Amino acid sequence: MSDGDKTMYGTTLSLESIKVIAESIGVGSLPDDAAKELADDVSFKLKQIVQDAAKFMHHSKRMKMSIADIDHSLKVRNIEPQYGFVSPDFIPFRFASGGGRELHFIEEKEIDLADVIQTAPPKIPLDITLRAHWLCVDGVQPTIPENPPPLSKDLQALDSVNPVNKLDRAHLKDTTGKPAIKAQKLKNVETVHVKQLATHELSVEQQLYYKEITEACVGSDEARRAEALQSLACDPGLHEMLPRMCTFIAEGVKVNVVQNNLALLIYLMRMVRALLDNPALYLEKYLHELIPSVSTCIVSRQLCMRPELDNHWALRDFAARLMAQICKNFNTSTNNLQTRVTRLFSSALQNDKTPLSSLYGALEGLSELGTEVIKVFIIPRLKFISERVEVHLQGSNISATDKIAAGHIRAMLQKACSPVLKTLRNPPDVVEEYKKDYGFLGPTLHQGVIKARTAPPPTPASTSASASAANVSLVTTTSSTPARPQTPLAGTSKPSSAISSGPLQRQTSQGGPSTVGGQQQKFVIVSQRQQTPSPSQEIDEYFC
């Protein structure tokens, strides 16, 4: 190669490149002279475009040339810019060689039109709208989601660590809807310091709100309940009545578990989820009341009057998801919350006298905590669980309740453990090996693993569908007309009265505290509004 050729190497297009480009557009045989003329002309024009692009780069005070500079250079020369090449991601070029030629190309995957047609259409974007709200009413900022909360989450956390800090914020205005009360100054006598008391009474408006919200959450009107739960999940000014809300939930769960009132337990768990969804609330200092309530709804032996008919499994699944959400949001290296919850559930797997309904709840609670928990705590105990389930599924003179519970445990283990076993065990999957390792549940787990291996990878459409299915409503009914878990939507039950809140009744007199289970309470418990449904009305409640 001569010196002149060395200086021009890499600055002009080669004849082979021009011929390849010509073949790609249908020109089969291009003469060498024509290819040389085209190569020189194209190289000259490309150099001009690159030089102009470099000018745009320098004027933009940048050291790296971008595709936008090339587009600007093309526009200056009245050339249509190359649309679709401005991408922040790296474009992977693949290398191919053959027949004495070397090419770099972009791999384009084939698109199945059936998948495109079956995919759900994207959501229509919302139009831009303006909505007015009250910033201040009579000098007081209303506690609505549009306004900042009267007490931020950081200050709530600080109050939980140092309660005296609340007394030192005299410069903060009281914006919770009640009149400001001047704190009485206490005199210091020599070295004796009198501790000031922080009052926790609620204003009239807050008492009315608490009354209405609790009445709606445990009442029989589903529309009012949805509005109340939405308020609990969005309103930023609930921190002052949060202790009473948590006490209401805790005491309500204690009473209704004893009375096996499934409907009210569902309503109380929905209140817990609404409070967890509220971003303005600091719930960490109330977990000592919420966690026992949620755990009770997971592992309690009996949650309804007729466990062989009522769908109490839905409540256990829902409460298990709540517990997983609590562990995810509040677990720290200090409180070891997830470790303690895992120890609670795993202890039920070690005892052979644990009721099957409680065993199902413990397994569901562990499975919701993640793959590693399933691998460490459930997989090693599968043979022990299999022995307990086999007795109730194949034995004679077994109660219907235990048989149904054993069936639910088998179905739940197949769903939760199959993806984990798929990663732990190498193919081929032999049924006899599964029977040897996992006993009676071996064939069921073998089918689940085979199905997991042959299942196609999830698509975005199926992922969104499964996410919505996770939040689908599961039917429960009153204790007088339970619905069968197998067909919760079937049947035409005819309740004789609206759902009763049992002991959750407020006194009709004006004064005096309410009582729950014979013990005096420090919070307001209200009864729901009595309604008289039509004889054909079916009371079905859903987890939304």
Side-chain angles (χ1 to χ4, degrees):
M1 183 180 294
S2 62
D3 295 339
D5 294 337
K6 289 182 180 180
T7 57
M8 295 297 293
Y9 180 75
T11 61
T12 58
L13 293 176
S14 62
L15 299 181
E16 290 77 8
S17 299
I18 296 297
K19 290 182 178 180
V20 170
I21 296 173
E23 290 179 0
S24 65
I25 61 175
V27 180
S29 58
L30 187 67
D32 292 343
D33 296 338
K36 185 176 182 306
E37 294 294 333
L38 286 175
D40 295 339
D41 184 63
V42 172
S43 301
F44 174 73
K45 292 183 178 180
L46 286 177
K47 291 177 183 178
Q48 286 183 322
I49 293 173
V50 172
Q51 288 176 357
D52 292 342
K55 295 178 183 178
F56 283 103
M57 179 189 70
H58 292 309
H59 284 292
S60 300
K61 302 296 188 292
R62 284 186 282 103
M63 300 299 295
K64 182 179 179 181
M65 184 179 297
S66 65
I67 300 177
D69 297 328
I70 302 294
D71 290 342
H72 293 320
S73 177
L74 293 174
K75 289 180 180 179
V76 168
R77 299 185 172 276
N78 293 326
I79 302 175
E80 188 74 14
Q82 301 296 315
Y83 298 103
F85 288 94
V86 180
S87 175
D89 301 329
F90 173 73
I91 301 177
F93 287 92
R94 292 192 58 183
F95 175 76
S97 61
R101 298 182 181 180
E102 297 180 351
L103 292 176
H104 291 82
F105 65 96
I106 302 175
E107 183 179 10
E108 295 182 355
K109 297 181 180 179
E110 295 183 358
I111 299 176
D112 190 359
L113 293 180
D115 295 340
V116 176
I117 295 174
Q118 295 175 1
T119 304
K123 294 182 178 179
I124 301 176
L126 300 177
D127 294 335
I128 299 175
T129 58
L130 294 177
R131 186 169 65 88
H133 66 87
W134 289 103
L135 183 63
C136 186
V137 179
D138 294 335
V140 178
Q141 174 183 287
T143 54
I144 56 178
E146 289 78 10
N147 291 333
L151 192 62
S152 65
K153 204 169 184 179
D154 296 335
L155 290 178
Q156 294 180 45
L158 184 60
D159 287 344
S160 66
V161 178
N162 183 18
V164 184
N165 179 72
K166 187 175 182 179
L167 303 176
D168 299 334
R169 296 200 307 271
H171 61 282
L172 295 179
K173 294 183 179 180
D174 191 356
T175 58
T176 57
K178 60 182 180 180
I181 301 176
K182 295 183 179 180
Q184 182 181 0
K185 295 183 179 180
L186 300 179
K187 298 181 179 179
N188 297 332
V189 181
E190 295 180 356
T191 58
V192 178
H193 298 280
V194 180
K195 181 180 179 181
Q196 300 180 9
L197 298 179
T199 58
H200 296 281
E201 73 276 0
L202 298 180
S203 65
V204 177
E205 293 82 1
Q206 288 174 329
Q207 293 180 24
L208 180 62
Y209 175 84
Y210 176 83
K211 170 183 174 297
E212 293 293 332
I213 212 75
T214 51
E215 180 184 13
C217 286
V218 299
S220 58
D221 190 348
E222 181 62 29
R224 291 187 66 234
R225 183 180 301 109
E227 294 179 0
L229 294 175
Q230 180 68 19
S231 177
L232 288 179
C234 298
D235 284 351
L238 301 180
H239 60 277
E240 289 195 357
M241 62 185 71
L242 187 58
R244 294 166 175 83
M245 289 287 184
C246 295
T247 306
F248 175 83
I249 294 171
E251 295 297 328
V253 170
K254 290 179 184 178
V255 172
N256 289 282
V257 163
V258 175
Q259 294 195 350
N260 298 326
N261 197 329
L262 179 62
L264 282 180
L265 291 175
I266 292 173
Y267 302 156
L268 293 172
M269 289 300 101
R270 293 174 70 182
M271 290 182 66
V272 173
R273 191 182 70 170
L275 294 176
L276 289 174
D277 292 342
N278 194 325
L281 296 181
Y282 182 77
L283 291 176
E284 188 167 0
K285 60 182 179 179
Y286 306 109
L287 294 180
H288 66 283
E289 291 184 324
L290 295 179
I291 290 180
S293 301
V294 179
S295 302
T296 300
C297 293
I298 298 175
V299 298
S300 182
R301 179 172 185 173
Q302 186 171 346
L303 296 173
C304 53
M305 295 298 295
R306 290 190 280 182
E308 70 277 3
L309 297 177
D310 292 345
N311 191 10
H312 61 97
W313 314 104
L315 174 60
R316 298 181 192 273
D317 297 343
F318 182 68
R321 290 194 295 269
L322 286 181
M323 183 62 73
Q325 183 180 353
I326 291 174
C327 293
K328 179 181 178 181
N329 295 341
F330 301 104
N331 182 59
T332 62
S333 59
T334 305
N335 57 25
N336 292 325
L337 180 58
Q338 183 165 340
T339 303
R340 295 158 67 182
V341 171
T342 305
R343 186 182 300 116
L344 169 68
F345 291 147
S346 61
S347 62
L349 305 184
Q350 311 299 327
N351 189 359
D352 56 353
K353 295 183 180 180
T354 303
L356 290 183
S357 56
S358 301
L359 181 61
Y360 173 86
L363 291 171
E364 182 66 26
L366 289 173
S367 64
E368 291 290 341
L369 294 177
T371 304
E372 292 299 324
V373 175
I374 297 175
K375 187 184 303 182
V376 175
F377 292 96
I378 297 182
I379 300 297
R381 301 292 296 175
L382 281 177
K383 195 164 187 179
F384 167 76
I385 300 170
S386 178
E387 295 174 356
R388 292 205 58 190
V389 171
E390 181 180 7
V391 175
H392 295 88
L393 287 178
Q394 292 189 342
S396 59
N397 298 327
I398 301 298
S399 65
T401 303
D402 292 339
K403 189 171 184 179
I404 293 174
H408 278 279
I409 291 175
R410 179 172 62 178
M412 188 270 295
L413 288 177
Q414 182 183 21
K415 179 181 178 182
C417 297
S418 297
V420 181
L421 292 175
K422 182 185 71 172
T423 60
L424 294 179
R425 303 179 69 97
N426 297 323
D429 299 305
V430 182
V431 182
E432 298 300 328
E433 295 181 359
Y434 279 79
K435 288 182 179 180
K436 180 180 178 181
D437 295 339
Y438 308 120
F440 173 72
L441 294 178
T444 303
L445 296 174
H446 175 265
Q447 293 177 2
V449 172
I450 293 297
K451 185 177 180 181
R453 293 190 193 279
T454 58
T459 59
S462 62
T463 304
S464 60
S466 61
S468 61
N471 296 326
V472 73
S473 302
L474 298 177
V475 177
T476 63
T477 60
T478 63
S479 59
S480 60
T481 57
R484 295 184 180 271
Q486 293 84 358
T487 56
L489 292 178
T492 57
S493 58
K494 299 180 181 180
S496 59
S497 61
I499 297 176
S500 174
S501 59
L504 296 184
Q505 301 287 339
R506 63 181 176 92
Q507 285 188 327
T508 56
S509 59
Q510 296 295 329
S514 60
T515 59
V516 177
Q519 298 180 357
Q520 185 173 344
Q521 305 298 320
K522 297 181 180 180
F523 59 96
V524 182
I525 297 181
V526 299
S527 63
Q528 77 268 353
R529 296 177 179 176
Q530 296 296 332
Q531 293 182 354
T532 304
S534 60
S536 62
Q537 179 183 3
E538 182 180 5
I539 303 177
D540 292 335
E541 301 301 336
Y542 296 86
F543 295 128
C544 59

